[in-house]
């Protein structure tokens, strides 16, 4: 295995860890499709920064994309709390509007800009070792630095807000009554998801963002009964999928993010069938 292969696995593993940790809370809160919505809603931010600076891959691009991701999250949350529409409908109303706005912006103002559709769908994880920045005199993959910082930030956020996050995930009303600021904690979680979705978008593209957030967390949900254990197992599933998926992708000469996503799905199917308490086999034995 080459150093580039190791770097790809590390980046994918770190990304899976951060996404799985936040994804565990999203699964418990019934907001599993939020990262997919955010990954589409960021397009107007990318177009806006391109129009202002002429750049498509800079720090300002990340800032602009994150801003529109946060707008999608807060807008859908406001609609949900208004009581006019249900939570899933609120999300379905906001993110297509923002995505359409981005499409219109490209067609009207940035039609000459080169957009790699394969990268937008599948990401650039394969080429991550080639895009480097200088750090302490050494060339380091940019995705490794960004993903590493994001992972540390996510873990620090979860540790700092563990009690309110735990309470708000299972009983938001109780968290609010107990003085744990359940609503504010939920909004902080959603903003963190928006920022992390932008980071994940650069590596794995819009389509596979949902896999990294939801599938490892759902797999861990079948295997564990406690929240802390669920997050640890979810991160472990992400690393297993990253290592195994990369090996299969190299052997078959196919998309690395796509194969990692498929491997993650295979782990979920195994857990669905073989989980000791919640698996289909265990339930069938309990009925017989």
């Amino acid at each position: 295995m080459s150093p580039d292969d190791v770097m790809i696995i590390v980046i994918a593993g770190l990304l899976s860890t951060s996404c799985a940790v936040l994804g565990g809370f999203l699964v418990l809160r019934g907001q599993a499709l939020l990262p997919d919505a955010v990954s589409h809603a960021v397009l107007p931010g990318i177009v806006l920064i391109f129009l202002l600076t002429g750049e498509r891959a800079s720090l300002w691009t990340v800032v602009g994309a994150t801003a529109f991701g946060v707008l999608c999250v807060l807008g859908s949350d406001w609609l949900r709390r208004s009581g006019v529409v249900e939570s899933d409908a609120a999300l379905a109303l906001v993110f297509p509007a923002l995505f359409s706005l981005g499409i219109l912006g490209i067609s009207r103002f940035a039609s000459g800009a080169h957009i790699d559709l394969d990268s937008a769908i599948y990401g650039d994880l394969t080429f991550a070792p080639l895009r480097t920045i200088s750090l302490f005199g050494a060339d380091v993959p940019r995705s490794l630095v960004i993903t590493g910082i994001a992972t540390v930030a996510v873990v620090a956020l979860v540790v700092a807000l563990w009690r309110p996050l735990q309470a708000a995930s299972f009983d938001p009303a109780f968290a609010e009554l107990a003085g744990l600021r359940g609503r504010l904690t939920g909004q902080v979680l959603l903003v963190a998801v928006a920022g992390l979705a932008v980071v994940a978008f650069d590596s794995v593209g819009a389509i596979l963002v949902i896999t990294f957030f939801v599938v490892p967390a759902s797999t861990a949900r079948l295997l564990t009964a406690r929240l802390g254990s669920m997050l640890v197992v979810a991160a472990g599933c992400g690393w297993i999928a990253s290592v195994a998926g990369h090996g299969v992708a190299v052997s078959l000469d196919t998309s690395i993010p796509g194969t990692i996503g498929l491997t993650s799905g295979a782990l979920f199917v195994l857990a669905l069938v073989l989980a000791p308490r919640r698996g289909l086999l265990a339930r069938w034995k309990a009925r017989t």
Side-chain angles (χ1 to χ4, degrees):
M1 185 178 295
S2 69
D4 285 351
D5 290 329
V6 174
M7 196 62 63
I8 290 172
I9 292 173
V10 170
I11 293 172
L14 288 174
L15 186 62
S16 296
T17 298
S18 53
C19 289
V21 169
L22 292 187
F25 295 104
L26 294 178
V27 168
L28 293 175
R29 292 166 62 93
Q31 297 175 312
L33 288 177
L34 182 66
D36 188 45
V38 170
S39 67
H40 288 80
V42 300
L43 186 58
I46 297 174
V47 175
L48 178 62
I49 296 300
F50 173 78
L51 293 177
L52 293 176
T53 67
E55 298 180 355
R56 295 178 291 108
S58 67
L59 177 61
W60 287 112
T61 304
V62 175
V63 173
T66 303
F68 275 86
V70 172
L71 179 63
C72 172
V73 166
L74 296 183
S76 61
D77 188 55
W78 177 81
L79 276 178
R80 178 187 61 81
R81 288 189 287 106
S82 70
V84 177
V85 295
E86 298 296 330
S87 58
D88 56 345
L91 193 60
L93 287 169
V94 174
F95 95 79
L98 292 175
F99 186 63
S100 299
L101 179 63
I103 294 295
L104 290 176
I106 290 176
S107 62
R108 179 65 178 85
F109 300 107
S111 59
H114 172 68
I115 297 178
D116 188 343
L117 293 180
D118 286 339
S119 296
I121 295 174
Y122 303 114
D124 289 328
L125 183 60
T126 305
F127 304 104
L130 304 180
R131 304 192 307 270
T132 62
I133 59 175
S134 181
L135 188 65
F136 302 114
D139 290 334
V140 181
R142 185 188 66 181
S143 294
L144 178 64
V145 176
I146 295 175
T147 305
I149 293 174
T151 302
V152 172
V154 165
V155 173
L157 176 69
V158 170
V159 171
L161 300 179
W162 177 252
R163 285 191 62 203
L165 277 174
Q166 187 178 25
S169 297
F170 290 102
D171 194 338
F174 169 77
E176 197 68 29
L177 292 173
L180 295 175
R181 307 297 296 273
R183 180 187 297 179
L184 178 61
T185 300
Q187 290 178 340
V188 170
L189 172 66
L190 298 183
V191 170
V193 168
L196 184 58
V198 173
V199 174
F201 178 86
D202 181 61
S203 295
V204 298
I207 301 301
L208 292 174
V209 165
I210 190 68
T211 299
F212 281 76
F213 271 96
V214 175
V215 179
S218 299
T219 303
R221 180 71 174 138
L222 292 170
L223 298 173
T224 62
R226 298 177 64 87
L227 179 58
S229 301
M230 175 185 170
L231 300 184
V232 172
V233 171
C237 290
W239 277 94
I240 292 173
S242 299
V243 174
H246 176 270
V248 173
V250 171
S251 299
L252 300 180
D253 191 23
T254 186
S255 165
I256 293 177
T259 310
I260 291 175
L262 186 61
T263 305
S264 187
L267 291 176
F268 173 79
V269 172
L270 287 176
L272 179 64
V273 175
L274 302 176
R277 295 178 59 186
R278 298 176 180 173
L280 297 178
L281 186 58
R283 293 184 180 186
W284 177 76
K285 289 182 177 180
R287 290 196 299 265
T288 58

